[in-house]
Amino acid sequence: MFEKILIANRGEIACRVMRTARRMGIATVAVYSDADAGALHVEMADEAVHIGGAASSESYLAVDRILGAVARTGADAVHPGYGFLSENVRFAEALDAADVAFIGPGIRAIGTMGDKIESKKLAQEAGVNTIPGYIGVLADEADVTRVADQVGYPVMIKASAGGGGKGMRVAYDETEAREGFRSAVSEARTSFGDDRVFIEKFVEDPRHIEIQIIADGAGNTVYLGERECSIQRRHQKVVEEAPSPFLDPETRAAMGEQAVALAKAVAYRSAGTVEFVVDKNRNFYFLEMNTRLQVEHPVTECVTGLDLVELMIRIAAGETLPFSQDDVTLRGWAIESRLYAEDPYRGFLPSIGRLIRFQTPNGVDGIRIDTGVVEGSEISMFYDPMIAKLVTFGQDRTQAIDRMAAALDRFRIRGVGHNIDFLSAVMAHPRFREGDLSTGFIVEEFPDGFAGTDLAPPTITRLHAVAAAIEYAAAERNACISGQVPMVRRGAVPIESRRSFVLHDSGTQVLVSVAPVDGGYDVTIDGELHTVRGACDPTIKLFDGVVDGDPFAVQIERTGVALQLSHGGAIRLVRTIPERASALIGLMPVKQAPDMSRFLISPMPGFLVSVAVQEGDIVKAGQELAVVEAMKMENVMRAERDGVVAKVLAETGASLAVDQPIIEFE
């Protein structure tokens, strides 16, 4: 067995590998960039080596620098995690030449499967179902439109060396094909150093289902069930689960057997994933093979009871699989939600900053959290925006979903934008709960973007009850500070301790009355009694108690005189005001936001890749104006209406802050 493993990665996956290595008694080495000097994976490792600047090209993608760290520390094996160099043939070859074990598949498998064009050819030869398309490199925009016409719209333009949703564009006509080609080529060059792209038919209303395989060096290859990864945005997975609510045993077996056949065709060794697109009739087509550990591997570990990282390490050390296909059984259900640093209320644009609060949920059964951050960590623009992976496990799908919803309500993240509200909305969505999924789910169910979810009236009333109880506690504290008699007394509660408020929420007003009792408060709303039990201190940020006899969690932020309440994917701004002050609310002036309609502003922090116009240009609605890159994704900004450019305020290559003006119009 290995004595020391270097993890050529960062963040949560580096920490994940270290946990297993530590349990196996293997020493670990972390590598880190300038931006990651204080990162969690650096703290966790037995040794840590600085490898360069914040940009990936100067650190985590710099083969020579990582090889130098291997030589310096005497590591006898390298685990690449996912992304970065995990599927880089040159890196694997260099390790082989240095007589250092690569904890992954053989060089042939990486090279063949890492090239999406060659992998499709091999899949066809191995008898694997493939998507119709053009298996060749596209030369230019004219080539794209010619091939797209032959294949038939809609088409998917994809980077040959791609993965993680980067270098991928869907086109429904010639204009989108030309633009998609430019964007895909640029993004592929930036992310992978390989700008080759190809075209395949875009399967409409598809489900994204993948098969996890594991293979040893003796030729034993088995599949470990499937994962459904259909909840995606911009071709990046957001929610994954195992097993799939769609597959029947026959389809599962057929997909598994084809995945094994493809793995054997390249003498695969280690963990790998064969991804398929599945249509509504359960016809499935090979998409790609990822020759590495997947981000979503924890859901497979939950339902199989296997540690995939341990298996990868043991296989790389020459051991054989300790089980056969007949030994693989799936038990229960697991769901993974990716918590991203992004703002779902602004089109899921990336967010950067310091995590001033990072508190994981307590009191929820069957949860697992994989993360590479702690409270105080910095989320930078240089890397993937994922903060953590929240995994819940249950006896069935409903229990796993319910546990996920409960955990999301109790997961506190502050300092950066995050997608917890959106994930909560997905968990509550009837279509998701029914398992009626497709990769178009987010676009179809949130066509105008995410603006929060609608709560049922009984849930809103419970939020109001919690808000009233907290405001009662605040009023009591203020009375103590001002020298008045404390309102809460031990034993029987006198009638004079009751307080009345007018609660304002979204233009509606309701009279509430609150009285303290042992363990909480009784709240009367519109003549109906509601019980609130649990800590209601006015300084709390998370109420995690019982309302009307049921567990109930609410995240709370005080905004001026209002309480911002977050629950179940909804945010409500509630003001609970004494009766005599309530009548004056309508007289308060409303502060007007500045008029920024004449400006194109950056919707996120990032780099200004290009500006397509100059002073004096006449622009038309929909015309490309600028491209901003953040967290390895390019975002094309377009004119909302016709106009004339008055001034270009930022230069190409500039680092932009959120809401920084780029272009001013007349």
Side-chain angles (χ1 to χ4, degrees), residues 97-426:
D99 197 27
V100 175
F102 179 74
I103 303 176
I107 293 170
R108 179 193 170 202
I110 298 172
T112 304
M113 292 294 106
D115 187 316
K116 303 301 183 286
I117 295 173
E118 291 303 314
S119 66
K120 285 176 68 71
K121 293 178 180 178
L122 183 64
Q124 289 179 341
E125 294 171 1
V128 177
N129 304 342
T130 57
I131 301 174
Y134 174 75
I135 306 179
V137 178
L138 300 171
D140 49 34
E141 292 181 32
D143 201 18
V144 169
T145 56
R146 177 183 60 79
V147 172
D149 285 339
Q150 293 175 355
V151 173
Y153 291 102
V155 297
M156 174 76 83
I157 303 169
K158 300 177 67 174
S160 180
K166 299 175 181 65
M168 296 174 61
R169 295 293 187 275
V170 177
Y172 286 85
D173 55 38
E174 180 177 330
T175 299
E176 291 185 357
R178 288 177 177 273
E179 183 180 294
F181 172 78
R182 294 196 301 271
S183 296
V185 166
S186 176
E187 206 165 81
R189 185 186 302 115
T190 300
S191 298
F192 313 112
D194 183 344
D195 62 3
R196 294 175 302 148
V197 298
F198 67 99
I199 276 182
E200 63 187 18
K201 180 70 176 176
F202 179 63
V203 179
E204 297 190 86
D205 297 322
R207 299 177 81 115
H208 185 128
I209 301 177
E210 59 192 29
I211 301 293
Q212 175 72 58
I213 63 101
I214 189 79
D216 61 27
N220 302 308
T221 306
V222 301
Y223 63 91
L224 305 177
E226 80 282 357
R227 296 183 289 259
E228 171 112 22
C229 309
S230 295
I231 306 299
Q232 304 179 3
R233 85 176 153 65
R234 299 182 189 140
H235 311 298
Q236 286 190 311
K237 302 164 187 174
V238 178
V239 176
E240 303 99 345
E241 59 186 297
S244 165
F246 185 60
L247 292 194
D248 53 30
E250 293 76 21
T251 308
R252 176 179 296 114
M255 293 175 69
E257 288 165 3
Q258 287 201 12
V260 168
L262 182 61
K264 288 186 174 182
V266 289
Y268 199 88
R269 182 194 71 227
S270 194
T273 299
V274 181
E275 302 193 351
F276 292 94
V277 172
V278 184
D279 69 17
K280 61 183 179 181
N281 298 315
R282 295 193 178 90
N283 297 309
F284 58 91
Y285 306 96
F286 170 71
L287 189 61
E288 63 184 6
M289 183 175 190
N290 291 308
T291 55
R292 54 172 168 79
L293 194 65
Q294 292 280 89
V295 176
E296 58 273 20
H297 76 274
V299 293
T300 296
E301 294 184 326
C302 286
V303 298
T304 61
L306 300 171
D307 184 327
L308 293 179
V309 172
E310 179 177 351
L311 289 172
M312 293 178 74
I313 293 172
R314 292 191 180 282
I315 290 167
E319 297 184 20
T320 58
L321 288 177
F323 55 85
S324 66
Q325 189 67 62
D326 292 339
D327 298 319
V328 177
T329 56
L330 306 181
R331 297 184 178 88
W333 214 284
I335 295 178
E336 174 180 290
S337 291
R338 300 189 188 189
L339 276 59
Y340 283 118
E342 61 186 13
D343 188 349
Y345 297 95
R346 299 184 64 177
F348 298 96
L349 293 172
S351 177
I352 64 172
R354 186 172 298 279
L355 286 169
I356 60 174
R357 289 290 180 271
F358 183 75
Q359 296 173 357
T360 57
N362 293 317
V364 181
D365 293 331
I367 69 170
R368 165 178 168 176
I369 299 167
D370 284 13
T371 186
V373 301
V374 294
E375 198 164 272
S377 292
E378 190 79 21
I379 305 297
S380 79
M381 70 175 69
F382 297 103
Y383 312 118
D384 186 272
M386 189 166 63
I387 300 171
K389 301 184 305 196
L390 174 61
V391 183
T392 54
F393 177 77
Q395 295 179 346
D396 54 31
R397 189 170 187 266
T398 297
Q399 187 179 57
I401 293 174
D402 289 344
R403 286 177 171 177
M404 179 63 71
L408 289 168
D409 277 340
R410 292 163 174 81
F411 209 130
R412 292 197 67 237
I413 296 175
R414 297 292 184 272
V416 298
H418 58 79
N419 64 337
I420 286 180
D421 289 343
F422 175 73
L423 293 170
S424 295
V426 171

Side-chain angles (χ1 to χ4, degrees), residues 463-519:
L463 286 174
H464 290 170
V466 171
I470 291 173
E471 289 294 22
Y472 181 100
E476 174 192 303
R477 182 188 62 175
N478 293 340
C480 292
I481 292 173
S482 64
Q484 300 177 33
V485 177
M487 301 303 297
V488 171
R489 298 159 187 168
R490 295 187 180 275
V493 179
I495 191 66
E496 62 264 28
S497 67
R498 181 177 297 275
R499 287 179 180 267
S500 294
F501 303 92
V502 176
L503 189 146
H504 295 248
D505 181 1
S506 303
T508 63
Q509 300 179 28
V510 60
L511 182 64
V512 299
S513 177
V514 186
V517 297
D518 286 343

Side-chain angles (χ1 to χ4, degrees), residues 12-20 297 301 307 309 368:
E12 68 87 11
I13 190 58
C15 297
R16 161 72 188 93
V17 174
M18 289 176 192
R19 285 195 298 271
T20 289
H297 76 274
E301 294 184 326
D307 184 327
V309 172
R368 165 178 168 176

